[in-house]
DNA sequence: ACCTGAACACCGTTCAAGT
DNA sequence: ACCTGAACACCGTTCAAGT
């Protein structure tokens, strides 16, 4: 028993949502992909909202773990920010996929409350991490200012990914990130 | 005959897509809203892709007209950029809606080719305009550099809208734009 | 504990038929 | 020129029934 049905479902669903979003996620296609019937999916995840919430929750957890790891290995600011943006780049490299949180934000109006909460948590995880990174460089800056800057950096990278995806051109992502760095937005 | 069925359809569809996206757009709901049967919608727009393409095409045209108008009345750079970001802010004010192009970019994988082309055209319209605005301030800069900066500004504002929508908090949008301006990204 | 078939109200699309 | 009902293959969800 190397593969667990629930895990297979989550894995397939995560790939599907990052590519097509919440609305386009189909229990029937999902079931076909892993070889069960669509009614069986509901045994593991009663509703589509439950599945998406589980996906987003794990996604936020994974991000948290990854970001902690980044800080564990000390490096200069520019390398750190490059490692950070590389994660968003990797999603595009993976068949032009998006950050789960980004694509869910676009579909925000259609999300059950339980999913919205996890989207918020992902954003909070990212901005808190960025605040820590910025605070180390600007110890005299007001927390309010750092929070604004952190949210701006996060939003700018999400936007870079969104626009590059819409042009199905990963070079656009690199071009945009380079312009951000040149402007001093990440400093 | 003050209202035309085709126009009513486009108007209702545009509001729906900006709120819920392409996948969630329903011919049946649309038909109910304007008082015809869903089969009749196909008379005006054979497929959902045709409707979305018509929507996006007009959206790009409207943006072009608006941006030309902005340049017709000369004003300082900061006021110009404020007027530009105000359009994206207005979408959020309108029931937390998004830029049509932004939400369609998120659903890019599910879009028919005819819609993708219009998304590209909207992006091109915006970046070309931004290049003109930047070129007036930086006459010595290389076109390549200006294009990168223009695309970055556009992406950053789309990202600000996306993140603010995901937090259903328009104040976040203002906070992010302010941080962009403070960083010099818009200069 | 896990899966299934059948039913329900939805969806976009097609088409022959109406006016 | 514009609209419609009926059909088709889809969708998420529920539930009684199987093992």
């Amino acid at each position: 028993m190397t593969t667990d049905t629930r895990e297979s479902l989550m894995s397939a669903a995560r790939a599907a949502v990052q590519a097509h979003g919440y609305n386009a996620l189909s229990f029937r296609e999902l079931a076909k992909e892993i070889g069960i019937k669509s009614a069986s999916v509901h045994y593991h995840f009663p509703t589509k909202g439950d599945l998406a919430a589980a996906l987003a929750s794990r996604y936020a957890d994974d991000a948290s773990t990854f970001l902690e790891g980044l800080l564990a290995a000390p490096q200069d600011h520019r390398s750190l920010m490059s490692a950070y943006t590389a994660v968003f780049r990797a999603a595009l490299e993976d068949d032009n996929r998006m950050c789960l949180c980004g694509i869910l934000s676009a579909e925000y109006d259609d999300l059950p409350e339980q999913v919205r909460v996890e989207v918020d948590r992902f954003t909070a995880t990212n901005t808190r991490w960025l605040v820590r990174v910025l605070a180390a460089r600007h110890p005299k800056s007001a927390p309010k200012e750092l929070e604004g800057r952190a949210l701006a950096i996060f939003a700018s990278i999400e936007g870079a990914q969104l626009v590059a995806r819409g042009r199905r051109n990963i070079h656009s992502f690199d071009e945009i990130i380079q312009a951000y760095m040149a402007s001093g937005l990440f400093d």
Side-chain angles (χ1 to χ4, degrees), chain A:
Chain A
M1 213 79 15
T2 64
T3 51
D4 181 62
T5 301
R6 192 187 152 90
E7 286 302 315
S8 301
L9 279 171
M10 285 191 71
S11 172
R14 199 178 81 121
V17 174
Q18 286 191 253
H20 305 291
Y22 175 79
N23 285 322
L25 179 66
S26 160
F27 269 35
R28 283 171 152 93
E29 278 184 29
L30 219 50
K32 200 173 294 176
E33 193 174 334
I34 72 161
I36 57 174
K37 298 295 169 183
S38 83
S40 306
V41 179
H42 290 274
Y43 172 76
H44 298 280
F45 302 98
T47 69
K48 204 163 129 172
D50 291 321
L51 172 53
L55 249 41
S57 177
R58 178 172 296 181
Y59 195 73
D61 288 343
D62 289 350
S64 187
T65 302
F66 172 81
L67 293 177
E68 286 305 320
L70 269 191
L71 289 186
Q75 51 189 318
D76 64 90
H77 182 70
R78 186 157 185 121
S79 302
L80 194 60
M81 290 307 295
S82 288
Y84 181 66
T85 60
V87 188
F88 294 83
R89 189 185 199 280
L92 291 172
E93 284 177 303
D94 185 14
D95 279 328
N96 207 25
R97 284 186 166 80
M98 271 186 79
C99 163
L100 192 73
C101 174
I103 198 162
L104 290 180
S105 291
E107 294 177 296
Y108 200 78
D109 270 25
D110 306 316
L111 301 181
E113 181 58 28
Q114 45 183 336
V115 185
R116 295 180 178 187
V117 169
E118 299 299 333
V119 171
D120 292 343
R121 197 160 69 84
F122 179 83
T123 301
T125 297
N126 277 267
T127 53
R128 268 199 311 263
W129 184 83
L130 284 165
V131 164
R132 280 166 65 195
V133 169
L134 292 172
R137 279 169 72 77
H138 306 284
K140 299 173 301 189
S141 292
K144 267 263 167 106
E145 199 190 340
L146 291 180
E147 280 168 27
R149 175 65 73 101
L151 191 60
I153 292 173
F154 175 69
S156 73
I157 298 170
E158 289 279 356
Q161 191 186 55
L162 182 70
V163 169
R165 172 176 162 95
R167 310 179 97 206
R168 57 212 163 309
N169 180 0
I170 198 165
H171 181 65
S172 291
F173 180 81
D174 297 331
E175 191 182 4
I176 293 166
I177 296 296
Q178 201 185 328
Y180 289 161
M181 286 191 168
S183 78
L185 179 61
F186 290 177
D187 289 344

